[in-house]
Amino acid sequence: VGVALAFDLPRFSSGDRDQLSKRFRSMVDTFESLFSNGAISRTEVTFLPGGDGGVLAMKTSKQSAVRVVADLCRALEIESDEREPAIQVDSRVGLHYGEIPFYRTADGLARPTGLVVLIADAIISDEAAKRKGGVVLTGSFADAVVGGQVRHLEDRFELLPPLTSGPAQGISRFVSR
């Protein structure tokens, strides 16, 4: 069992070559800071790049994954602080957990796949999630994080409408306040 952390970087590939290079460097620096400060262990994470973001499959508890997301969002905020909007690296992050199978690429790299990965990506890809930004959790993940305390869930998260199609169809989801 693992946690899939999908992230999307709005505007990541827009702009000129210099802006793209600066954004890419900021993302590399952000992930390097998470590895160097111990927020993420290189042995517990597998990366699946894709488009303007990707998926991290983590062998960790739900509570540890929430700390990683908090660290990631804080690091992206710091990396974007006092930069012109064209080179900021703000993001949307989706979290879901469950069994995450892996496949091997032609180069022998292990890559995460399966329903958990697809759900983590789907919950941040619709217009409601794009408008809100931030961290989006599936209902089951959010409930586990607050230990079933509905009051805490309502205090910390806003309910988003469920998706009507795709792998996350009908799954409740929450966005951080």
Side-chain angles (χ1 to χ4, degrees), residues 18-29:
D18 182 55
Q19 291 168 334
L20 180 58
S21 175
K22 288 177 182 175
R23 267 190 234 105
F24 182 77
R25 183 74 247 162
S26 290
M27 281 306 300
V28 170
D29 291 347

Side-chain angles (χ1 to χ4, degrees), residues 63-77:
Q63 289 74 13
S64 292
V66 169
R67 285 190 295 277
V68 168
V69 169
D71 289 348
L72 173 64
C73 291
R74 191 171 24 261
L76 290 171
E77 189 176 305

Side-chain angles (χ1 to χ4, degrees), residues 33 38 43 62-63 124 161:
S33 74
T43 60
K62 292 179 279 294
Q63 289 74 13
I124 62 171

Side-chain angles (χ1 to χ4, degrees), residues 51-167:
D52 287 352
V55 174
L56 297 177
M58 299 181 287
K59 299 174 193 170
T60 187
S61 69
K62 292 179 279 294
Q63 289 74 13
S64 292
V66 169
R67 285 190 295 277
V68 168
V69 169
D71 289 348
L72 173 64
C73 291
R74 191 171 24 261
L76 290 171
E77 189 176 305
I78 290 167
E79 195 61 38
S80 294
D81 195 33
E82 298 184 22
R83 291 185 184 251
E84 60 183 271
I87 59 172
Q88 291 179 350
V89 286
D90 54 335
S91 68
R92 284 188 314 279
V93 176
L95 285 170
H96 189 51
Y97 71 98
E99 290 295 324
I100 302 175
F102 291 82
Y103 68 93
R104 293 256 173 225
T105 66
D107 295 334
L109 298 172
R111 296 289 193 214
T113 188
L115 191 56
V116 171
V117 169
L118 295 173
I119 289 171
D121 185 53
I123 64 173
I124 62 171
S125 299
D126 73 315
E127 288 305 314
K130 288 178 181 178
R131 276 193 307 277
K132 292 291 183 179
V135 178
V136 180
L137 313 173
T138 57
S140 56
F141 193 103
D143 185 57
V145 168
V146 297
Q149 301 293 321
V150 175
R151 187 181 92 255
H152 292 296
L153 188 62
E154 293 169 348
D155 288 346
R156 297 179 185 176
F157 302 98
E158 176 183 337
L159 182 64
L160 289 176
L163 297 175
T164 57
S165 63

